[in-house]
Amino acid sequence: MRAIAVERGSEGPTVIERPRPEPADGEALLRTLRVGVDGTDHEVIGGSHGGFPEGEDHMVLGHEAVAVVEDPNGTDLSAGEVVVPTVRRPPAAGANGYFERGEPDMAPDGEYVERGIVGDHGYMAEYFTSPPEYLVAFPEDMWEFGFLTEPVSISEKAFEHAYASRSAFDWSPESALVLGNRSLGLMTLAMLEFGVDSDRSFAEHDFERTYCLGRRERPDPTVDIIEEVGATYVNSNETPLETVSEDFEAMDFVYEATGYAPHAFETVEALAPNGVGALLGIPDSWEFEVDGGRVHHELVLHNKALVGIVNSHVEHFEGAIDTLTELPEWLLDDLVTTVATPEDAKPAFEYGHDQIKAVVEFDRL
Amino acid sequence: MRAIAVERGSEGPTVIERPRPEPADGEALLRTLRVGVDGTDHEVIGGSHGGFPEGEDHMVLGHEAVAVVEDPNGTDLSAGEVVVPTVRRPPAAGANGYFERGEPDMAPDGEYVERGIVGDHGYMAEYFTSPPEYLVAFPEDMWEFGFLTEPVSISEKAFEHAYASRSAFDWSPESALVLGNRSLGLMTLAMLEFGVDSDRSFAEHDFERTYCLGRRERPDPTVDIIEEVGATYVNSNETPLETVSEDFEAMDFVYEATGYAPHAFETVEALAPNGVGALLGIPDSWEFEVDGGRVHHELVLHNKALVGIVNSHVEHFEGAIDTLTELPEWLLDDLVTTVATPEDAKPAFEYGHDQIKAVVEFDRL
């Protein structure tokens, strides 16, 4: 079967041939429909994040997938069912407490592998196998958007942890700012603006005023989406994060998805009293000067919080699926700008000005 | 009556004469027993924190008090009852939502005054008045330690908010580090080491391994207390916070009470995966270089959190009272090293090497 992999020493993704996998006992065989591409894939390709499976000289890419059950192989799944797979799997040493509790997203380094990112092959192949506990049922009529479940699940976790950090008091947030106007930022902005009316989604608040900070100049398709959602676009060339609280307003909630290192500290300044910043972007080491006294002072004197968020687990995937069914369809349509084929996947790995979200389509339902 | 105040232009606290206050309708008259001195008092005296009551050229000091009801004045209180007062009161504009909800500790600047700190006279006087909703009953047989309720209440809030920030997952903390070995640090260390078996206290975990970082060399009475509690003393001259995770272990919980600005960032490094740092010290503006990329990266990739904590409300005072009744009596005895009189309060405002906690005693029960 065809797969898209990164090989040791190569500069970009390559189409390779691999044998179709045989499901082990307790695993189902899945036929891949679509697999999204995100910043983490680019980091994996560039070698700054992740790592090859033990003893292998290549890794199949892809961690944002939607697939259909080809062979249940004795599991409770049904052939033809549409599912999305989670990302983390037990390490070679076997499942640990984090997996047993259903919280592999909280496992530290070395206590997990991540399919398509670190230590295990991903989903960019015609077929893959998985135990059923790592597969979440997805509505058949929306299968084309199923690959968005994984990124949205990270925001579900961000909302859950950020709200938890404010649960010791009566928090009534009104203003929210998303840092970054790529696809996840735009979907998160819509979650903040519209709220999600579902017990499974963690996006429980609908914010009265939402903002999205980016560095693109108009005309730009992401700015159009931001304004169509009903949010305010903050052009960081005119208003850097440092002055957002003066030029617009102090924010009850800040969602940082760019990985630009100074944002962690500028977020503290941008927050209103009692506000929380959720950090999701992952910068590299970078020394710079900061008014650390002021950041520390602001955190304390105004009861502010910062929470770091990585990965997600099954409940976040379930929340994300409810969220996707509630987000306006025009938004999802507008986000998916590039549908590539495995034979010619290159366009999915290029950043074009007009590209928002790219996906490789292996098959259709 | 005698009071201890800071006057505009003066360099230290002064004994002044003021008329004994008349309780307004709905207020009780309190006879002051003891009032503690802490770092905030020194900042108020030095002029770096707080501010005089509107239109006045002096402010009575003191926000850590224990008192006895002299005249209930028609309130539900009984004469002779021992009480501790909370610190925040409504601003001149009147009570707002934060006060109505019982969460004045979450009110932003301008929406409160603080007795003895900003905008209102404190408790260092023979008598003071207060509405009963800001007074919390304290056990009579422990009256001498009642003034410790206010500082411990801040730690109660720190525990509540820190645990809340970790409530979205199964957090089983084992290791805790207190930064700072002054009286509040030592009491907090004991709360972490012993836990508090009370529904009202927020110190719900007892940590298996506790550490306290300070910069004093042995022999030192605070180091003796740290070791008597059963914790490990970390001498920051030998092991700065930056290397604690290597030289000792990464910490599930860090409690920062020194206000040393770099600690906010070094705390992130010192934390174990999924750990939380509670920040309580209040530094001034100070620019310095920091590997901000690494701090940001660590927060995200290991699901870490920082929560800022200021002030406390009635429930935290109630928790603190239960905590004080459970802390070993030798600890409280050893902490209170200086009992000054209002006539000669000077020793209470000096930092001696052997001083841990100082108090001014206006009267005894």
Side-chain angles (χ1 to χ4, degrees):
Chain A
M1 66 172 188
R2 248 188 305 260
I4 299 172
V6 57
E7 294 180 298
R8 220 175 278 278
S10 78
E11 293 215 338
T14 328
V15 178
I16 61 169
E17 273 296 322
R18 274 167 62 97
R20 181 166 146 170
E22 291 287 337
D25 264 8
E27 282 189 336
L29 178 69
L30 291 306
R31 180 162 43 86
T32 307
L33 299 173
R34 286 179 155 193
V35 185
V37 177
D38 76 355
T40 301
D41 295 307
H42 287 279
E43 288 167 18
V44 168
I45 294 165
S48 68
H49 188 70
F52 290 94
E54 186 83 19
E56 305 232 15
D57 57 1
H58 74 285
M59 180 170 69
V60 176
L61 286 165
H63 58 280
E64 303 178 347
V66 57
V68 65
V69 177
E70 177 80 9
D71 175 6
N73 191 36
T75 65
D76 284 344
L77 296 163
S78 310
E81 212 177 325
V82 177
V83 294
V84 290
T86 65
V87 178
R88 287 198 174 171
R89 298 288 182 276
N96 47 51
Y98 296 99
F99 283 88
E100 285 155 13
R101 286 196 293 277
E103 294 178 350
D105 55 311
M106 303 308 290
D109 286 353
E111 307 241 355
Y112 61 83
V113 295
E114 288 181 336
R115 295 199 63 161
I117 302 173
V118 58
D120 199 4
H121 292 295
Y123 303 122
M124 280 200 184
E126 288 177 72
Y127 296 90
F128 65 90
T129 62
S130 175
E133 64 264 34
Y134 301 121
L135 302 172
V136 185
F138 192 86
E140 195 174 307
D141 60 346
M142 285 185 67
W143 73 269
E144 286 169 294
F145 299 117
F147 71 98
L148 295 171
T149 306
E150 195 277 339
V152 171
S153 76
I154 314 290
S155 290
E156 294 285 338
K157 176 173 171 179
F159 289 132
E160 186 191 25
H161 283 235
Y163 298 164
S165 81
R166 311 288 76 191
S167 63
F169 63 96
D170 188 344
W171 190 53
S172 306
E174 296 183 357
S175 54
L177 169 64
V178 170
L179 307 179
N181 53 341
R182 290 173 58 186
S183 57
L184 181 54
L186 298 174
M187 287 189 288
T188 304
L189 189 66
M191 293 163 79
L192 290 163
E193 175 67 29
F194 304 135
V196 179
D197 186 17
S198 142
D199 287 345
R200 299 204 304 177
S201 172
F202 295 94
E204 57 189 67
H205 295 280
D206 49 329
F207 287 75
E208 290 177 32
R209 298 174 305 282
T210 61
Y211 302 83
C212 186
L213 180 134
R215 55 187 174 186
R216 292 190 176 193
E217 300 293 341
R218 291 184 171 87
D220 179 83
T222 66
V223 177
D224 293 342
I225 289 175
I226 289 163
E227 293 179 345
E228 182 75 21
V229 160
T232 300
Y233 179 58
V234 179
N235 181 333
S236 65
N237 302 305
E238 292 159 14
T239 309
L241 180 52
E242 286 162 290
T243 63
V244 164
S245 65
E246 274 168 48
D247 293 359
F248 292 90
E249 63 176 309
M251 304 291 166
D252 295 314
F253 181 59
V254 173
Y255 174 100
E256 159 25 65
T258 70
Y260 178 66
H263 275 176
F265 312 100
E266 292 165 8
T267 287
V268 175
E269 290 284 335
L271 286 171
N274 309 335
V276 57
L279 306 179
L280 293 89
I282 304 177
D284 291 328
S285 181
W286 176 17
E287 296 213 356
F288 49 84
E289 192 136 294
V290 59
D291 187 342
R294 197 170 155 73
V295 169
H296 188 158
H297 180 108
E298 265 303 308
L299 278 163
V300 176
L301 261 197
H302 291 120
N303 292 294
K304 296 178 180 180
L306 288 179
V307 292
I309 304 292
V310 70
N311 199 254
S312 59
H313 62 244
V314 165
E315 284 167 1
H316 304 127
F317 273 65
E318 291 170 345
I321 292 168
D322 283 7
T323 292
L324 286 170
T325 61
E326 288 219 10
L327 287 182
E329 207 174 317
W330 68 260
L331 173 64
L332 303 182
D333 279 333
D334 284 3
L335 287 179
V336 185
T337 52
T338 310
V339 181
T341 61
E343 297 78 35
D344 183 18
K346 216 173 161 196
F349 292 96
E350 290 166 343
Y351 282 126
H353 181 76
D354 288 338
Q355 185 181 99
I356 302 176
K357 186 70 181 178
V359 66
V360 181
E361 186 171 283
F362 284 83
D363 201 357
R364 297 184 60 81
L365 197 63
Chain B
M1 67 172 188
R2 249 188 305 258
I4 299 172
V6 57
E7 295 180 298
R8 219 175 279 280
S10 78
E11 294 214 338
T14 328
V15 179
I16 61 168
E17 273 296 322
R18 275 168 62 98
R20 181 167 145 168
E22 291 288 334
D25 264 8
E27 283 189 335
L29 179 69
L30 292 306
R31 180 162 43 87
T32 307
L33 299 173
R34 285 179 155 195
V35 185
V37 176
D38 76 354
T40 301
D41 295 308
H42 287 280
E43 288 166 19
V44 168
I45 293 164
S48 69
H49 187 71
F52 289 93
E54 186 84 18
E56 305 230 14
D57 57 1
H58 75 285
M59 180 170 68
V60 176
L61 286 166
H63 59 279
E64 303 178 345
V66 58
V68 65
V69 177
E70 176 80 10
D71 175 6
N73 192 36
T75 65
D76 285 344
L77 296 163
S78 311
E81 211 178 324
V82 177
V83 294
V84 290
T86 65
V87 178
R88 287 199 175 171
R89 296 289 182 277
N96 48 51
Y98 296 98
F99 284 87
E100 284 155 12
R101 286 197 292 277
E103 294 178 348
D105 56 311
M106 303 308 290
D109 285 353
E111 308 241 355
Y112 62 83
V113 295
E114 287 182 337
R115 295 199 63 161
I117 302 173
V118 58
D120 199 3
H121 292 296
Y123 303 121
M124 280 201 185
E126 289 177 71
Y127 295 89
F128 65 90
T129 62
S130 175
E133 64 263 33
Y134 302 121
L135 301 171
V136 185
F138 191 87
E140 196 175 307
D141 60 346
M142 285 186 67
W143 74 269
E144 285 168 296
F145 299 117
F147 71 98
L148 295 171
T149 306
E150 194 277 339
V152 171
S153 75
I154 314 291
S155 291
E156 294 284 338
K157 176 173 171 181
F159 290 133
E160 186 190 25
H161 283 236
Y163 299 164
S165 80
R166 311 287 77 190
S167 63
F169 62 97
D170 189 344
W171 190 53
S172 306
E174 296 183 355
S175 54
L177 169 65
V178 170
L179 307 180
N181 54 340
R182 290 174 57 188
S183 58
L184 181 54
L186 298 174
M187 287 189 288
T188 304
L189 189 67
M191 293 163 80
L192 291 162
E193 175 67 30
F194 303 134
V196 179
D197 186 17
S198 142
D199 287 344
R200 300 203 305 178
S201 173
F202 295 93
E204 58 189 65
H205 296 280
D206 49 329
F207 288 75
E208 289 177 34
R209 298 174 304 282
T210 61
Y211 303 83
C212 186
L213 180 134
R215 55 186 174 186
R216 293 190 176 193
E217 300 293 342
R218 291 184 170 86
D220 179 84
T222 67
V223 176
D224 293 342
I225 290 176
I226 289 164
E227 294 179 343
E228 182 75 22
V229 161
T232 301
Y233 179 58
V234 179
N235 181 334
S236 66
N237 302 304
E238 292 159 14
T239 308
L241 180 52
E242 286 162 290
T243 63
V244 163
S245 65
E246 274 168 47
D247 293 358
F248 293 90
E249 64 175 308
M251 303 291 165
D252 295 314
F253 181 59
V254 174
Y255 174 99
E256 165 13 73
T258 70
Y260 178 66
H263 275 176
F265 311 101
E266 292 164 9
T267 286
V268 174
E269 291 285 335
L271 286 171
N274 310 335
V276 56
L279 306 179
L280 294 90
I282 303 177
D284 291 329
S285 181
W286 176 17
E287 296 213 355
F288 49 84
E289 193 136 292
V290 58
D291 187 343
R294 194 167 158 74
V295 170
H296 188 158
H297 180 108
E298 264 303 307
L299 277 163
V300 176
L301 261 197
H302 291 119
N303 292 294
K304 296 179 180 180
L306 288 178
V307 292
I309 304 292
V310 70
N311 199 253
S312 59
H313 62 244
V314 165
E315 285 166 0
H316 304 126
F317 273 66
E318 291 170 346
I321 292 168
D322 284 6
T323 293
L324 286 170
T325 61
E326 289 219 10
L327 287 182
E329 207 175 317
W330 67 260
L331 173 65
L332 303 181
D333 278 334
D334 284 3
L335 287 178
V336 184
T337 52
T338 311
V339 181
T341 61
E343 297 77 38
D344 182 20
K346 216 172 161 192
F349 292 96
E350 288 166 344
Y351 283 125
H353 181 75
D354 289 337
Q355 186 180 97
I356 303 176
K357 186 70 181 180
V359 67
V360 181
E361 186 170 283
F362 284 84
D363 201 356
R364 297 184 60 82
L365 196 61

